Amino acid sequence: MPAAIELHGICKRFRSLGGRPSTTLKSAALELVRGRRQRARERFTALRDIDLTVEAGRALGIVGANGSGKSTLLKLVAGIYRPDSGTLRVRGRVAPLIELGAGFHPELTGRENVVINGIILGLSQREVRRRLDAIVEFAGMREFIDAPARTYSSGMYMRLGFAVAVHLDPDVLLMDEVLAIGDEAFTRKCADRFAEFRRLGKTMLLVGHEAAAVERWCDEAVWLDHGVIRAHGAPHKVIDLYRQAMSEQESDALARSYEQPMPSITVAGATSEARDRWGTGEIEIERVRLDDTYGHERYVYTSGEPVTIRFAYRVRRPVDSPVFGFAIVRNDGLWVYGTDTTLAKVAVPALGTAGEVKVTIDALGLVAGRYVVDVSVHAADGTPYDYHSRRYPFSVRDDVAERGVAKVHHRWHIVPDAVSGHP
């Protein structure tokens, strides 16, 4: 099957003025108006040596972190940018679903904007007018189509822009994070149109952060990282590699917060700016880390994985019956869970001068989100010797978009009545 999109040795660079890449004529002009004209200090490379072929009728998903070059690649294929080097070829009419409605003039009506936008995207005026009713109906804008665009909400802008693009009868459809436009009904309408494009054998290039969308709509996927293709293949394999890399990066970033210098203990009742550590100091917690099941330090987990909280302590003055505790708090301050050795009926041995406490959670039953761990050691009456509050972040990931905080294990049983069909 012939290729619909071919890129060979594609590179794209932008001039960087004042530490920021200048990507458009507007941004360059603003630099001049603000009196910041200067020689380009460096050239920012957005894409480097990209070789990519998409066969006609195939759908390719592009994943990657912000700034990885995804949108730049899409704009090159759309003809908005030109490559600095390499060759690019696109066969057939292209419908770019990029920055929807960005070209609408606020003083013109929706109807006038549709006509102009359609012509800009390659239709004749006659073709636009023939499809106008279908565009307006698809966007759900019949009551507002003759009102000035300045009266539209951002959602109305995007719906109308999307409707124009998908009625071009394109050979190649380019989509940049536009799979969740408008309300639920309009999102379903969009999904139906994408499914129709797939049935008709259209070529699709999809940029998205949502792995489920890439896996649902795409035959293959590419992972872009700092302008370079890191992986290309089956969507689930590419997405697994991308997620693993993102988890490692996030874990490394979280680990650095654990390496920050430990603040001194704020003595109870004393005035201090330190609000994340307090106590009387008889026993001090000196180091905290989270380990996975292999004993490796890690701070990003998949829901259901085991995790061990480890904290080293040092005894400054001997005390009777110390109590160790920990808590898990969601990053918005919601207290998720807390316990201590007394509540768990764990006997604390003689501590010596120093040692380590390990708390193993067999299955981290939390929904996806950001959390922090609090750790403490205190007297039997609750007097804190050393309390560390909101100092130790970690992250939980999960493919299932469940709501709430904790995962509650459950089973479903649905048994229709065999005779009447009613319970």
Side-chain angles (χ1 to χ4, degrees):
M1 186 171 289
I5 303 171
E6 292 180 277
L7 298 91
H8 299 291
I10 292 294
C11 291
K12 181 61 184 175
R13 304 178 188 87
F14 297 104
R15 293 184 182 275
S16 182
L17 295 172
R20 296 179 303 174
S22 181
T23 60
T24 64
L25 179 61
K26 178 181 177 181
S27 61
L30 286 174
E31 293 291 342
L32 293 174
V33 170
R34 292 168 181 165
R36 298 174 61 181
R37 184 175 185 178
Q38 56 183 304
R39 291 184 179 180
R41 298 175 182 171
E42 59 183 7
R43 289 177 69 84
F44 170 73
T45 301
L47 294 171
R48 182 184 295 109
D49 298 325
I50 299 296
D51 291 306
L52 189 62
T53 300
V54 184
E55 294 180 353
R58 301 276 287 178
L60 174 73
I62 306 173
V63 298
N66 290 334
S68 61
K70 304 186 303 296
S71 295
T72 298
L73 178 58
L74 217 61
K75 289 177 180 179
L76 282 168
V77 176
I80 297 171
Y81 293 157
R82 290 188 177 183
D84 291 302
S85 61
T87 59
L88 185 155
R89 184 173 182 179
V90 182
R91 295 178 175 87
R93 175 179 282 171
V94 176
L97 277 67
I98 305 171
E99 299 177 6
L100 296 173
F104 287 174
H105 193 292
E107 297 303 325
L108 299 179
T109 67
R111 186 185 304 275
E112 292 165 336
N113 273 300
V114 166
V115 173
I116 294 172
N117 204 237
I119 293 172
I120 291 173
L121 291 174
L123 296 178
S124 67
Q125 186 170 347
R126 179 177 297 178
E127 287 175 315
V128 176
R129 295 196 181 281
R130 189 168 62 244
R131 303 175 194 191
L132 184 60
D133 288 343
I135 291 171
V136 174
E137 187 65 31
F138 188 92
M141 298 276 291
R142 188 167 298 281
E143 296 179 23
F144 311 101
I145 196 62
D146 292 310
R150 58 180 164 75
T151 65
Y152 292 174
S153 67
S154 58
M156 294 166 74
Y157 261 89
M158 294 181 70
R159 280 174 17 221
L160 196 56
F162 181 92
V164 173
V166 298
H167 282 82
L168 292 178
D169 190 22
D171 301 296
V172 178
L173 188 67
L174 309 178
M175 296 175 286
D176 190 1
E177 306 283 4
V178 295
L179 291 176
I181 301 170
D183 55 23
E184 185 175 347
F186 191 77
T187 299
R188 286 198 300 270
K189 192 184 294 186
C190 295
D192 291 342
R193 181 52 62 99
F194 292 144
E196 182 182 349
F197 283 146
R198 296 286 281 140
R199 288 193 299 271
L200 294 173
K202 305 292 187 179
T203 305
M204 296 168 62
L205 201 59
L206 165 66
V207 165
H209 288 295
E210 292 293 333
V214 173
E215 291 195 67
R216 176 182 179 184
W217 297 109
C218 298
D219 303 301
E220 52 188 316
V222 163
W223 166 27
L224 272 181
D225 180 35
H226 293 91
V228 176
I229 293 178
R230 296 296 185 192
H232 183 187
H236 70 278
K237 291 183 178 180
V238 172
I239 289 167
D240 284 347
L241 290 171
Y242 168 59
R243 284 176 170 168
Q244 181 180 348
M246 292 301 100
S247 293
E248 290 173 357
Q249 289 182 19
E250 184 179 4
S251 185
D252 290 344
L254 291 171
R256 288 193 287 273
S257 68
Y258 286 66
E259 297 167 1
Q260 296 297 317
M262 188 78 71
S264 59
I265 298 177
T266 301
V267 178
T271 301
S272 172
E273 293 182 359
R275 299 179 183 274
D276 56 1
R277 188 185 187 193
W278 60 85
T280 54
E282 284 84 347
I283 302 174
E284 294 186 14
I285 297 171
E286 296 186 321
R287 186 182 66 256
V288 178
R289 59 181 277 177
L290 304 185
D291 282 0
D292 62 19
T293 189
Y294 302 106
H296 300 146
E297 186 175 6
R298 183 150 62 89
Y299 299 98
V300 178
Y301 291 85
T302 299
S303 184
E305 275 193 290
V307 59
T308 297
I309 305 169
R310 298 172 55 183
F311 45 104
Y313 67 83
R314 183 167 298 278
V315 178
R316 300 298 182 185
R317 292 185 296 276
V319 296
D320 295 327
S321 306
V323 179
F324 290 95
F326 80 95
I328 295 176
V329 183
R330 200 167 63 185
N331 67 341
D332 62 357
L334 178 69
W335 192 276
V336 176
Y337 180 76
T339 190
D340 59 37
T341 50
T342 297
L343 294 172
K345 295 181 170 55
V346 173
V348 177
L351 298 181
T353 58
E356 185 179 59
V357 175
K358 294 183 180 180
V359 182
T360 298
I361 301 171
D362 294 324
L364 194 60
L366 300 173
V367 301
R370 297 292 293 269
Y371 301 86
V372 292
V373 172
D374 285 9
V375 295
S376 68
V377 56
H378 57 83
D381 65 1
T383 301
Y385 299 137
D386 195 3
Y387 194 107
H388 296 204
S389 174
R390 313 299 193 269
R391 283 188 53 82
Y392 307 109
F394 69 98
S395 182
V396 176
R397 298 192 173 205
D398 194 3
D399 290 337
V400 182
E402 293 174 308
R403 298 178 180 178
V405 178
K407 284 180 172 286
V408 178
H409 293 288
H410 60 280
R411 293 185 300 275
W412 292 83
H413 297 283
I414 301 175
V415 184
D417 186 271
V419 178
S420 64
H422 298 285

